[in-house]
Amino acid sequence: MAALGGRWVRALSKGKGTGVTVFMLGTRAASGISKDMLPGPYPKTPEERAAAAKKYNMRVEDYEPYPDEGRGYGDYPMLPAKSQHERDPWYSWDHQDLRKNWGEPMHWDFDMFIRNRVDTSPSPVPWNTMCKHLFGFVGVMLIMFWLGETFPAYQPVAPKQYPYNNLHLERGGDPNKQPEELKHYEI
């Protein structure tokens, strides 16, 4: 670390560029994936297939790579598209939050199958029942809207009632002239 600091100070003093640029070029990222974890070339022989299965901690019978279509999957195993919801919540996982064990290969689209995203577990209600309920509700609502437009129903409304002879004086009426008395009811 002292050598890195020394290089940085020397580069700044000689004026070979800005301090941040020199510092960033002089170090490498501490994070990232190692070369062992990167997918290798697509296995063509049974020996390469067995070596790739061993690399991903899988049995040869369970190992099936992605098809070689030029997408860059290489020898990465094609795992079933199952979300973490389908995995046993009561099992003692190494990583309980992701329901994953150490050394277990991850799905290529792992971020899509975490528990707050896609749930691929079977639905308790059949698809045709869900469709019947949805389209039945939408159909009944469309019929109700059509009936409401065709045969409107309004609340019965009477003229607004005001005290003191319908606010005769407040509305600018003549104080010398008495208006006729209004009756808002009939007995």
Side-chain angles (χ1 to χ4, degrees), residues 3-39:
L4 178 65
R7 263 192 259 154
W8 184 59
V9 171
R10 266 184 273 137
L12 281 177
S13 64
K14 291 181 182 177
K16 287 187 175 180
T18 63
V20 174
T21 309
V22 170
F23 182 71
M24 295 306 273
L25 291 175
T27 61
R28 66 180 179 86
S31 63
I33 196 165
S34 68
K35 290 181 182 179
D36 297 341
M37 294 181 193
L38 289 172

Side-chain angles (χ1 to χ4, degrees), residues 160-181:
K160 182 75 174 162
Q161 300 177 18
Y162 293 104
Y164 308 112
N165 286 330
N166 206 16
L167 299 176
H168 175 71
L169 293 177
E170 286 80 0
R171 291 181 167 194
D174 187 11
N176 298 328
K177 186 177 173 191
Q178 190 68 345
E180 63 182 66
E181 193 168 322

Side-chain angles (χ1 to χ4, degrees), residues 113-161:
F113 294 113
I114 57 178
R115 285 193 296 173
N116 63 355
R117 304 270 169 84
V118 177
D119 182 9
T120 59
S121 56
S123 174
V125 180
W127 180 252
N128 60 352
T129 305
M130 286 192 280
C131 288
K132 286 177 195 172
H133 287 168
L134 173 68
F135 294 128
F137 174 76
V138 170
V140 167
M141 292 308 294
L142 288 174
I143 290 170
M144 296 299 281
F145 289 142
W146 176 78
L147 285 173
E149 282 290 319
T150 307
F151 307 107
Y154 300 105
Q155 285 276 48
V157 178
K160 182 75 174 162
Q161 300 177 18

Side-chain angles (χ1 to χ4, degrees), residues 1 20 28 38 56 73 90 95 102 107 120 152 159 168 186-187:
M1 191 66 188
V20 174
R28 66 180 179 86
L38 289 172
Y56 295 110
Y73 295 129
W90 309 114
H95 195 299
W102 174 258
H107 194 278
T120 59
H168 175 71
E186 205 172 298
I187 299 179

